[in-house]
Structures are given as C-alpha cells and as structure tokens.
Amino acid sequence: SNESSEDEAQIKWEEQQIKKAVKLSQETYDDASLRKSQPAKPKFDPSVSLPPVNLEIVKKRLTERITSLQDVHRAHQREYEKYMEDIESSKMTVQELEKSSEAALNYKFYRAMKTYVENLINCLNEKLKYINDLEVAVHVLLQQRAMRVLKRRQDELKNESAYIQHLTSGNDKPTNGGLEGDEKTQLLEMCEHRRTCRRRVRECSGEADHREGMSSDDELTPTEVTEFQKSKDNVLEDSKKVFEDVHADFCDIRKILLKFQEWKEKFPDSYCDAYISFCLPKLLNPLIRVQLINWNPLEQNFTELEEMPWFRAVEEFCDAGNVSESKRDDDPDQEVLPRVIEKTILPKITAFVKTVWDPLSTSQTKNLVRLCNNIFEKQVLSKSECSRAKEDLINMVVLRMKKSVEEDVFIPLYPKSTVEDKSSLCSKFQERRFWSAVKLLSNVLLWDGIVREDTVRDLGLSKLLNRYLLLNLLNTPPGPDNIEKCSKVVACLPERWFQDLKSGSTLPELRNFCQHLLQCACTLHKNNHSDETKEVLLLLVKVKALHVVEDFIEEYKLEHLKSMI
C-alpha cells in the first residue's frame, strides 16, 4: 500500500511537470509568432542623403494643393447649382400640374368673355348710325344758330355803314348794296332797340366798365329761340331711346369696365397681351358721345367733364390699379382716360371751334379757354410726344381768329369835323367799331399760354393793334378818351410778356404804340395836364418802355416822377 501511494504521487508529479512544459512551450511559440507578425522598424541610416527642401518648393506644393482643392470645390458647386435648378424646375412642374386642374374654369371664363365682347361690339356697331345722326342733328342746329347770328351782325354792319356813308356824302341816291326806304330804317331801329335793351340791363346790374360795341349782340328773336329749343328737345328725346332696348351690361360704362377689370385681376398677362388698354377708348367712344350730345362748352355754366358719369367711371377704372400691390409703374390702364379725352373730347371741341364758336363773344371765348386749360394742364394727355388732336384743335382756333380779324374788324375813318360831335351817328358808329375791335383783341390775347406766343402776338399786336386800333388812336386827340382807350389796350396785354424784359425796351410790336403814348404825354405836359401826363407815363411803365420814360423825365426835368420807374 505504501508503494502504491508513492507511485500515485509520482504519477501526479510527472503530470504536473508535463503540463508546465507544454504551457511553457506554448508561450514561447506565441511570442515568436507575435514577433514575426510585427514589421521590423527601419533603422535610421545617417549615411543616406535626403533631397534638398526650401521655401519655394513648399510654397509650390501648397499652391498646387490649393488649386486642386479649388477645382474640386468648383465641380461640387456646379453640381449643387444643377441640383438647385432641378429642384426649381420640379417646383414649377408641380405648380403647372396643380393649375392644370383649373384649365376648365379658365377656358370657361375666356369663352364667356369672348362672347360678351362680340355681343358688345355688335350692339355698338348697330347703334353707331343712330348716334352719328343725333350728333350731326344737334351740331347742325348749333351751327345754323351761329351762322344766323353772324350773318345778321355782318348785314347790320354793312347796312349801318352804308347808311352813314350815304348821310355824310349828301347824296340822295341809295348806296350800292344797301337797303332802301322803310326796310333799311326798320333794320336800323331794331338794332338800336336791342342796343338800348342791353344798356338798360347793364344799368340795372351796375356794370359800369362797358362801352358801346363790346356787347356780343347775339340775341335771337323769340320765334327763333322757340324753334331752336323745340328742335333740340326732339333730338335729346331721341337720344334717350338709343339704348332703351339694351341690357345695362352692354350700355353702362361702369359695368363694362368692371368686366375688363375682372379680366385684368384674374389673368393680367393675357389682359396685357390683348392690348385692352388701347382698345377701350375706341370701344367706349359711342357710349361717351351719347352722353355728350347735349354738351356745349361754349354756353354759360356748361357741365364740367369731371362731373359727367362717363368721366367718373373711367377715372375709377384707371385708379383701380393703384390699389393693387402688383401694379406696375408702366400700367397701360393709366393711359385710358387721356386717350379717351384725346380721341373723343378734343375732336368734338374742334368741331365746335370750327363751326359754332364766335371769337367776338367774350363769354364763349372764356369758356373755351378755361376748358382747354383744364384739359391740357389738369388732365394730362397721352404720353406720346405729339398729340395730333391737340394740334388740330389749336390750329383751328388760330384759323378762326384769323378769319374773325379779317371779316369782323371794321373801324371807319371820318373827317374830324364829323366826329367832333360825340352824339353824331358817325362818332357813335366809329366808337362802337373801335370798342368791338378792342374786345376781339382781348379775346385773342386770352389764348396766351395755349396758342404759341408768337402767333398770339402776331394776331393781337401786329394785325389788330397796329393795323386797326392804332390808326384810330392816332386820330383821337390827347385827352381822357384817348387815355381810356390806351389803358384798355394795355389792360388786355398779358403781364407774362413783360416779366423777362430787362433791356428797358418794350416788345417790338409795341414800339409804334409806345411812340403814340410818348406824343400824348408831350402834348399833355405842354398843356399843363400833369395828372393825365402821369397816367400816360404809367402805361409806358407797364409795357416796360423804361428808356422812353427816362428820356421824357430827363428832357422835361420831372425828377419827382422817377419813383414810378
């Protein structure tokens, strides 16, 4: 048993030793394999030489590296932009696809608008003939009345001149072209009766600054007035029936413009592409002319354009775009109202000027001038550099004034012995004709600022003043009558003409007139009329003839009058 236990202990010890040996050999193997797997560290050999390194080489390599990175960045940037464009294109495609669902509604709107416009145009084309006929009828009535007044005035002037010439000549035979006997006397009595009636009216109204010959003398007989008004009322009654069988959508300007405004708000691009702003003035022309059938700008208290329904409707349409945030600075709808005025209103005014306006009528001329100033200043015309309608109107105004100067101005010259008596027929007739020419001068000069200044000065000063009025002034003795006439002439002259005169000399067209005033001042001073002399000198100062006044004061030693210069 002892031996067996020793053997077992021996065996255990041997096993333990074997295990230790196996373990030690395994660790040795693992260390060897680990050493084999790790690369051997290079050993620095000081005998090996490195390439030379300097700052330029480093800078060059860094620059090449930066350039390479920038190229890569640009490539990435282009790729990014391409992706962004693809995104925007995709968004637009999505929007188009979303809108495609409204195509049916858009088509329905355009179809309805096309039908409406076609019906509107057909309606207006059908009514256009009636509108033209009514417009012509009213204009013919006004033209006939104007021609009747003009002919009567010219006939009375001719007959009265012939009658006075017949009396002064002492010839018992009637003058050629004159009327004979009771008929001539009756016409002259009627003319004097109308003159007396107007004089009484002026006395009742307290109008003091008036002279015989400055009245319009445009009264019609009661029969003529009744016939004219009856014919005009018939035309106006017919004008109310033009659109009585038409729905309001096709004859109410405001409702028509609302249709086009809806189009503009929904589809502004197609609205502009269709040039609606250019078409509207022509489309509205017949409707506006119907409202203007009873409009006469030559009459007192005529209706202003701004107060008419069509004007307010078009003005609201033009201003509607100002509220919209999407309104552009060059919105073509802003030109609708100016084009309506240019295409419809100005031609109508030109027609009045051509056949109805009487340049000798101060009331008509003032109304016409006020209307033109309102249109040309407040209502700006089309932005086009040249307005043909405006030129036609101004040219017609000049033509009518030239005709009036040639046909309506007549100042007879009688011997001094026949006009010394202020109550004589010759003296009264000559005075009336002078003041009538002064009235025409005043009316012509009212157009300053509208008609070109050189044209107004030629008509008013060269033709009227120097050719007609000055001749009468030269034959009028210096005194209160002469001063009154000269003062009235100076009062007609626009002050604007003399504002920029710095040379001390007046206008070239006024030199003869100033010379006449100087002669009057000399005569009055020699006759010891100091107050009247001062009045004449003040007239010379008003027309800026300062050198003439200075020479006069220096010549006659009137230093106390230097303060007026």
Side-chain angles (χ1 to χ4, degrees):
S1 62
N2 290 336
E3 290 178 358
S4 58
S5 59
E6 290 178 0
D7 291 339
E8 291 177 0
Q10 184 64 31
I11 293 169
K12 289 182 179 179
W13 182 82
E14 289 177 355
E15 289 177 356
Q16 291 176 356
Q17 293 301 319
I18 291 169
K19 289 180 180 179
K20 289 180 180 179
V22 171
K23 185 176 180 181
L24 181 60
S25 61
Q26 183 66 35
E27 291 177 357
T28 302
Y29 174 79
D30 292 341
D31 292 338
S33 62
L34 182 61
R35 284 195 295 271
K36 290 179 180 179
S37 64
Q38 293 180 350
K41 295 182 179 179
K43 296 181 180 180
F44 177 74
D45 188 0
S47 62
V48 179
S49 61
L50 297 174
V53 178
N54 55 31
L55 185 60
E56 292 298 329
I57 295 175
V58 174
K59 183 177 179 182
K60 180 180 179 182
R61 291 184 179 180
L62 289 175
T63 304
E64 292 175 352
R65 181 62 175 167
I66 291 174
T67 303
S68 176
L69 291 176
Q70 288 177 345
D71 293 340
V72 174
H73 174 71
R74 283 193 291 269
H76 291 168
Q77 187 69 25
R78 287 192 296 268
E79 189 176 2
Y80 171 77
E81 292 176 356
K82 182 177 180 301
Y83 290 152
M84 293 303 296
E85 290 178 359
D86 293 342
I87 292 173
E88 292 297 327
S89 177
S90 300
K91 288 182 179 179
M92 293 179 63
T93 304
V94 171
Q95 292 177 357
E96 292 295 331
L97 292 174
E98 290 176 351
K99 291 181 179 179
S100 63
S101 60
E102 301 177 0
L105 295 177
N106 297 348
Y107 173 74
K108 183 179 180 180
F109 173 82
Y110 283 122
R111 185 176 61 181
M113 198 69 195
K114 179 177 181 293
T115 303
Y116 172 77
V117 172
E118 288 177 348
N119 292 335
L120 175 61
I121 293 175
N122 292 334
C123 173
L124 295 179
N125 285 335
E126 182 180 346
K127 301 295 183 180
L128 195 59
K129 180 180 180 300
Y130 301 102
I131 296 173
N132 292 337
D133 292 343
L134 292 172
E135 207 171 35
V136 169
V138 170
H139 199 77
V140 166
L141 287 175
L142 295 173
Q143 182 179 356
Q144 289 176 348
R145 184 179 66 173
M147 293 300 295
R148 187 180 298 116
V149 171
L150 179 62
K151 186 176 183 305
R152 189 190 67 188
R153 183 172 65 205
Q154 292 177 346
D155 289 344
E156 289 179 350
L157 173 61
K158 181 180 178 181
N159 294 330
E160 190 171 6
S161 175
Y163 179 68
I164 293 175
Q165 184 67 27
H166 170 66
L167 292 180
T168 56
S169 64
N171 188 4
D172 294 336
K173 296 182 180 180
T175 309
N176 292 336
L179 298 177
E180 297 184 4
D182 296 338
E183 188 176 0
K184 176 185 291 186
T185 305
Q186 185 179 2
L187 288 175
L188 294 177
E189 289 178 353
M190 290 175 59
C191 184
E192 185 62 30
H193 175 70
R194 289 195 300 271
R195 207 175 286 130
T196 303
C197 292
R198 289 194 300 273
R199 189 184 305 115
R200 291 174 181 173
V201 171
R202 289 195 301 271
E203 292 174 355
C204 295
S205 61
E207 185 180 354
D209 187 19
H210 186 88
R211 295 293 177 269
E212 293 289 348
M214 300 186 73
S215 299
S216 297
D217 194 19
D218 56 355
E219 299 90 345
L220 295 174
T221 62
T223 304
E224 292 173 335
V225 172
T226 303
E227 291 179 354
F228 171 80
Q229 194 59 44
K230 181 179 179 180
S231 301
K232 184 178 178 181
D233 291 341
N234 292 336
V235 176
L236 296 179
E237 190 66 26
D238 292 338
S239 67
K240 297 177 182 178
K241 301 177 182 178
V242 174
F243 290 106
E244 66 179 359
D245 58 342
V246 178
H247 193 273
D249 289 344
F250 299 93
C251 63
D252 189 324
I253 294 179
R254 180 172 275 101
K255 292 186 177 182
I256 293 173
L257 291 176
L258 285 176
K259 290 277 188 180
F260 289 98
Q261 185 176 341
E262 180 186 3
W263 182 357
K264 181 181 180 181
E265 292 174 354
K266 289 185 176 181
F267 309 102
D269 293 336
S270 64
Y271 178 87
C272 293
D273 293 340
Y275 296 100
I276 299 302
S277 301
F278 295 92
C279 300
L280 283 177
K282 186 174 182 179
L283 189 69
L284 300 178
N285 176 273
L287 300 169
I288 295 174
R289 285 164 55 194
V290 171
Q291 297 188 27
L292 293 175
I293 286 179
N294 192 32
W295 183 65
N296 185 355
L298 303 178
E299 293 180 347
Q300 290 287 0
N301 302 321
F302 69 93
T303 306
E304 297 288 348
L305 293 176
E306 293 86 346
E307 300 175 2
M308 294 186 175
W310 69 266
F311 187 96
R312 292 195 295 267
V314 177
E315 191 175 37
E316 290 173 5
F317 174 77
C318 294
D319 294 339
N322 295 335
V323 183
S324 175
E325 296 180 357
S326 61
K327 174 183 173 294
R328 300 176 299 178
D329 294 336
D330 57 345
D331 185 3
D333 282 348
Q334 292 180 335
E335 291 287 294
V336 173
L337 182 57
R339 285 196 180 95
V340 166
I341 293 176
E342 188 172 350
K343 302 298 182 182
T344 303
I345 306 302
L346 293 186
K348 189 173 184 67
I349 299 175
T350 304
F352 275 102
V353 171
K354 182 178 181 180
T355 57
V356 182
W357 174 47
D358 181 10
L360 264 178
S361 173
T362 301
S363 61
Q364 291 185 15
T365 303
K366 286 183 176 180
N367 291 336
L368 200 56
V369 169
R370 179 164 59 91
L371 176 63
C372 291
N373 279 325
N374 182 41
I375 291 176
F376 298 155
E377 294 178 4
K378 297 181 181 179
Q379 302 300 331
V380 181
L381 296 180
S382 178
K383 294 179 181 179
S384 59
E385 297 181 359
C386 179
S387 172
R388 181 64 180 272
K390 179 180 178 181
E391 287 185 359
D392 292 343
L393 172 57
I394 294 177
N395 291 337
M396 185 55 63
V397 168
V398 174
L399 186 64
R400 287 290 292 114
M401 290 193 296
K402 287 182 178 179
K403 184 179 179 182
S404 183
V405 171
E406 294 171 357
E407 297 181 358
D408 294 330
V409 179
F410 171 69
I411 306 178
L413 291 178
Y414 299 119
K416 289 186 178 181
S417 58
T418 59
V419 295
E420 286 178 352
D421 183 8
K422 297 299 181 181
S423 61
S424 65
L425 290 178
C426 294
S427 177
K428 290 183 177 180
F429 181 67
Q430 187 184 60
E431 289 295 297
R432 286 198 300 270
R433 298 315 306 160
F434 174 83
W435 288 111
S436 177
V438 171
K439 177 183 177 182
L440 182 58
L441 172 66
S442 175
N443 294 346
V444 169
L445 298 184
L446 286 175
W447 289 99
D448 179 59
I450 300 176
V451 178
R452 289 178 53 183
E453 181 178 332
D454 56 347
T455 304
V456 175
R457 284 168 57 173
D458 178 66
L459 282 173
L461 303 184
S462 299
K463 289 185 170 59
L464 263 174
L465 177 59
N466 293 333
R467 187 179 299 176
Y468 296 102
L469 298 176
L470 190 58
L471 193 60
N472 180 271
L473 292 174
L474 293 174
N475 291 323
T476 303
D481 291 342
N482 195 301
I483 295 176
E484 182 185 9
K485 292 178 178 180
C486 294
S487 300
K488 188 63 178 179
V489 170
V490 173
C492 296
L493 303 176
E495 296 180 0
R496 184 180 65 85
W497 289 357
F498 307 100
Q499 291 177 353
D500 299 330
L501 293 179
K502 300 178 181 179
S503 62
S505 299
T506 187
L507 300 174
E509 295 89 349
L510 292 177
R511 288 173 183 170
N512 293 334
F513 178 68
C514 292
Q515 188 64 31
H516 166 69
L517 291 177
L518 177 61
Q519 292 177 358
C520 290
C522 294
T523 303
L524 292 171
H525 177 71
K526 292 177 181 178
N527 294 333
N528 297 322
H529 298 293
S530 57
D531 293 339
E532 295 177 349
T533 303
K534 185 177 181 180
E535 289 183 30
V536 175
L537 293 179
L538 285 174
L539 294 179
L540 287 168
V541 172
K542 287 182 179 180
V543 297
K544 299 298 180 181
L546 303 181
H547 290 335
V548 175
V549 178
E550 291 173 355
D551 294 342
F552 180 85
I553 292 176
E554 183 178 355
E555 180 180 356
Y556 292 99
K557 304 296 188 292
L558 302 175
E559 285 76 9
H560 64 283
L561 296 179
K562 287 186 177 180
S563 60
M564 70 172 59
I565 302 178

